Amino acid sequence: MLGIGKTGWIEKEKPVAGPFDAIVRPLAVSPCTSDIHTVFEGAIGDRKDMILGHEAVGVVEEVGTEVKDFKPGDRVIVPAITPDWRSIAVQRGFPQHSNGLLAGWKFSNFKDGVFAEFFHVNDADMNLALLPDGISPKAAVMITDMVTTGFHGVELAEIQFGMSVVVIGIGPVGLMAVAGAALAGAGRIFAVGSRPKCVEVAQAYGATDIINYRNGEIVDQIIELTHGEGVDRVIVAAPGIDMIKKGVKMAKPGSVISNVNYFGEGEDLLIPRIEWGCGMAHKTIRGGLCPGGRVRMENLANLVQYGRLDPSLLLTHEFNSFDKMEEALLLMKDKPKDLIKPVVVLE
């Protein structure tokens, strides 16, 4: 990112590892819609000459003197969220916000990201996970952000067996929310989206109903299909300042509306007063940055390794050289109909 609205190539010094850190060479990376928000909307703060990217699987190049569990040559999954594990926020239970709001999200947010020949990882023993045999780097790179974020939407929603769930937005994060809801035991899963490829994958991951916004207001469709009751849980994984509002409107009293979408613009989000029971409907709104760290990556990799989840269904466009990075990034901006996620394979 050269500046707001500008991308290009830049030369920088190779990063240096502190005593607890690692330097990693990428094997596979994937652009994210958050990168697009950062470059073209500004997101939080003005940034210049910052390397983009926060989704990577790589090979450890070097480690600091205090790193115990990793060594050069190890193939590793690198979470998009790399908290400072020696912070008070960790003891409070929210490492994602270590040393500041959203400060666990460092790559292409507070420091250079992973679209580079080498990148820096803080707290390597706590933030890296070994890539298991049998999981390809390009599949594993989906774990670093898409899987963990979509599944966090399920965690925030506190889905229980048999519940009805709406997932608003079936881009890659929403698709992982569909998959996570199914794994969590949801009964009926409504997936809101229109692109044929996304619909196909949503059904493969367990969606029972497809709600196409082109066929009418999505709230009205959900209310009609649930005979006026609404649903037990809503997961918001789509942009638009009215999405929380729609979620509240389609949810039953006593429900949870979970948000994992990154709202990159606008000053305020809307809550409908009447459908929120004038503030007393027992409809809980929760939003959060996905967890990061080693244990999280290891647990999610277990789901892939043992056949519970196939994140490779998200991969629709593959590139095989470093100089294709910008082309892959701009796909996330233009979003052709057949796109879910691009990956750049570098090994």
Side-chain angles (χ1 to χ4, degrees):
M1 176 179 179
L2 303 178
I4 299 296
K6 298 178 182 178
T7 61
W9 294 97
I10 188 170
E11 292 286 343
K12 289 195 173 187
E13 294 292 326
K14 183 179 178 180
V16 176
F20 295 98
D21 307 334
I23 305 301
V24 176
R25 172 175 58 86
L27 291 175
V29 299
S30 183
C32 178
T33 302
S34 298
D35 294 310
I36 300 303
H37 292 318
T38 299
V39 174
F40 296 99
E41 296 172 3
I44 301 173
D46 183 16
R47 302 175 179 88
K48 297 177 182 177
D49 297 341
M50 181 183 69
I51 297 171
L52 293 165
H54 51 262
E55 301 179 27
V57 169
V59 175
V60 174
E61 178 78 6
E62 62 181 271
V63 296
T65 57
E66 299 300 316
V67 175
K68 307 299 183 187
D69 297 339
F70 298 91
K71 64 185 185 303
D74 284 344
R75 292 156 64 94
V76 291
I77 302 171
V78 186
I81 308 304
T82 56
D84 297 306
W85 292 97
R86 297 166 183 82
S87 67
I88 297 300
V90 173
Q91 295 187 34
R92 292 179 177 141
F94 294 97
Q96 304 99 311
H97 306 291
S98 56
N99 293 322
L101 181 66
L102 305 182
W105 173 16
K106 300 184 183 306
F107 293 130
S108 68
N109 193 27
F110 294 107
K111 73 174 188 180
D112 282 333
V114 303
F115 295 168
E117 293 170 296
F118 303 98
F119 60 88
H120 172 274
V121 181
N122 62 293
D123 281 353
D125 282 334
M126 303 293 284
N127 281 323
L128 295 178
L130 290 173
L131 176 64
D133 293 337
I135 303 180
S136 70
K138 64 183 181 181
V141 78
M142 294 297 97
I143 297 172
T144 66
D145 189 2
M146 299 300 96
V147 177
T148 185
T149 300
F151 277 36
H152 194 44
V154 175
E155 293 164 332
L156 291 171
E158 298 180 343
I159 293 171
Q160 299 176 29
F161 294 121
M163 282 186 167
S164 57
V165 178
V166 173
V167 177
I168 303 178
I170 49 174
V173 168
L175 288 169
M176 287 297 92
V178 170
L183 283 170
R188 194 175 188 184
I189 302 175
F190 299 90
V192 179
S194 63
R195 289 190 290 163
K197 184 62 178 178
C198 294
V199 167
E200 173 191 331
V201 175
Q203 291 171 325
Y205 281 136
T208 58
D209 298 76
I210 301 299
I211 305 298
N212 189 333
Y213 65 90
R214 300 180 188 277
N215 295 334
E217 168 55 52
I218 64 173
V219 174
D220 294 340
Q221 293 186 61
I222 294 294
I223 296 300
E224 180 180 352
L225 288 168
T226 57
H227 308 291
E229 291 187 0
V231 295
D232 298 303
R233 299 290 189 263
V234 178
I235 301 173
V236 177
I241 61 172
D242 61 346
M243 288 304 170
I244 301 295
K245 177 179 180 179
K246 291 178 184 291
V248 171
K249 285 186 172 184
M250 64 179 64
K252 296 177 182 177
S255 59
V256 178
I257 298 91
S258 159
N259 175 73
V260 286
N261 180 67
Y262 179 68
F263 294 102
E265 58 184 345
E267 294 298 319
D268 301 291
L269 301 175
L270 306 175
I271 300 173
R273 182 179 65 87
I274 298 300
E275 288 85 358
W276 205 35
C278 302
M280 295 180 285
H282 293 94
K283 296 184 181 184
T284 301
I285 301 171
R286 306 179 72 189
L289 177 64
C290 68
R294 175 178 176 174
V295 171
R296 178 75 168 187
M297 294 297 101
E298 289 174 344
N299 287 342
L300 294 176
N302 282 341
L303 292 175
V304 179
Q305 186 175 12
Y306 297 108
R308 304 294 186 187
L309 176 70
D310 181 6
S312 68
L313 298 183
L314 300 178
L315 301 174
T316 54
H317 293 66
E318 180 176 336
F319 300 90
N320 291 285
S321 65
F322 195 82
D323 61 2
K324 295 293 186 180
M325 205 81 74
E326 189 169 18
E327 185 177 344
L329 173 71
L330 294 178
L331 273 179
M332 295 305 293
K333 178 176 184 288
D334 298 334
K335 285 188 168 54
K337 287 184 178 182
D338 61 343
L339 174 76
I340 299 180
K341 279 285 280 186
V343 64
V344 183
V345 179
L346 303 168
E347 64 174 344

